[in-house]
Amino acid sequence: MGEKRSRQLLAVHMENARRLLDDFLSDHGIGLDVLGKAMEQFCQTVFELPEDAVCRPGCAYCCSLRVGVSIPELLVIFYELKAQAHPEVLAALKARIFEISSQGNLLEEDFWRSTQQACPFLNDQGCCIIYGFRPFSCRAYHSTDRKICQRGYEEKKEVQVPCFPLYRATTDMYSSVFIKVLGDKGFASFQVSLVKGLDILFKDEGASARWLGKKNVFLDAKI
């Protein structure tokens, strides 16, 4: 498929998703439950990862990189955690997020590459404990050459990871759609650091309610 044709298809796919989300929120209002249902519906439309991708459970070279998310994704992940995680697991995650947050600027990619801080959701087996409701940026990120991922991790530097660009773009776009639609509806809407955003939510129980009231409470997590 030519590059021009791919861009055209992506633009159509993104506009369809934008319109569907806008209509869904207009019909149902904007709350945590509605945002959760919207994210679930988006997840159901994500294409299967191409067979030639080398990503497998336990391969976690990319899980020490900065993760950017839309604020609706952040809120859904946080409240899914609170609803599903055992209290001891939730307490351990909270402590881990606070620990990472205290060690540097989470908004900078260099912090993650230099410190190689593992994602707080990565378990001892190298698997994601929130895999079912992970961010769209994580769903989109993949590789066709494991050795290049390994080299980037070991050398602590950015590398050009070979992938399927159209798959990555059509998956990652859902985060952009959330940002666009909520911004158009008057919310403070931008990409934030997943870990910094969770740090804010754990420290401020009223943050989500104030954001839903159109207050700009996640500015410190903005990427």
Side-chain angles (χ1 to χ4, degrees):
M1 182 182 298
E3 182 178 347
K4 181 178 180 180
R5 179 58 174 162
S6 295
R7 288 199 302 268
Q8 291 173 337
L9 289 175
L10 176 61
V12 171
H13 192 46
M14 190 167 184
E15 174 56 24
N16 287 340
R18 186 206 63 76
R19 187 176 64 254
L20 287 171
L21 179 61
D22 185 65
D23 290 346
F24 184 75
L25 297 181
S26 295
D27 291 343
H28 296 88
I30 301 175
L32 293 173
D33 57 339
V34 175
L35 292 175
K37 290 182 183 300
M39 185 169 171
E40 180 182 357
Q41 290 179 8
F42 277 161
C43 289
Q44 291 173 356
T45 65
V46 171
F47 298 120
E48 292 290 332
L49 186 65
E51 291 183 0
D52 290 339
V54 296
C55 307
R56 298 292 183 272
C59 177
Y61 292 120
C62 63
C63 294
S64 60
L65 301 177
R66 185 187 69 181
V67 176
V69 298
S70 64
I71 294 172
E73 291 172 86
L74 171 70
L75 297 181
V76 171
I77 289 169
F78 180 69
Y79 284 96
E80 285 290 337
L81 274 174
K82 293 192 72 174
Q84 297 184 23
H86 188 278
E88 291 183 1
V89 173
L90 190 63
L93 281 169
K94 181 179 178 179
R96 176 64 179 147
I97 287 167
F98 287 174
E99 177 190 3
I100 296 173
S101 298
S102 70
Q103 295 184 17
N105 187 350
L106 306 185
L107 310 185
E108 297 294 334
E109 289 186 356
D110 285 346
F111 165 80
W112 294 93
R113 293 191 187 280
S114 62
T115 64
Q116 293 187 322
Q117 291 285 346
C119 175
F121 300 121
L122 194 68
N123 66 18
D124 293 340
Q125 291 72 48
C127 295
C128 176
I129 65 172
I130 61 165
Y131 192 80
F133 52 98
R134 67 198 186 281
F136 288 110
S137 57
C138 296
R139 295 170 188 271
Y141 202 93
H142 68 283
S143 173
T144 58
D145 191 331
R146 188 174 184 271
K147 290 182 178 179
I148 292 180
C149 300
Q150 182 177 359
R151 176 164 60 84
Y153 178 82
E154 292 177 347
E155 296 179 4
K156 299 184 179 181
K157 68 179 185 181
E158 184 176 4
V159 293
Q160 194 68 34
V161 176
C163 67
F164 296 98
L166 187 57
Y167 171 83
R168 186 167 180 176
T170 55
T171 304
D172 201 30
M173 72 163 204
Y174 290 112
S175 185
S176 299
V177 169
F178 267 130
I179 291 171
K180 170 64 175 171
V181 171
L182 271 297
D184 288 347
K185 291 183 179 296
F187 290 82
S189 188
F190 37 77
Q191 188 181 56
V192 298
S193 158
L194 173 63
V195 178
K196 182 61 178 177
L198 291 171
D199 179 71
I200 291 172
L201 287 167
F202 273 121
K203 290 177 178 175
D204 182 356
E205 294 183 0
S208 60
R210 293 202 310 281
W211 183 80
L212 288 167
K214 298 188 176 180
K215 302 298 184 181
N216 191 2
V217 297
F218 294 106
L219 185 60
D220 289 345
K222 183 178 181 179
I223 295 177

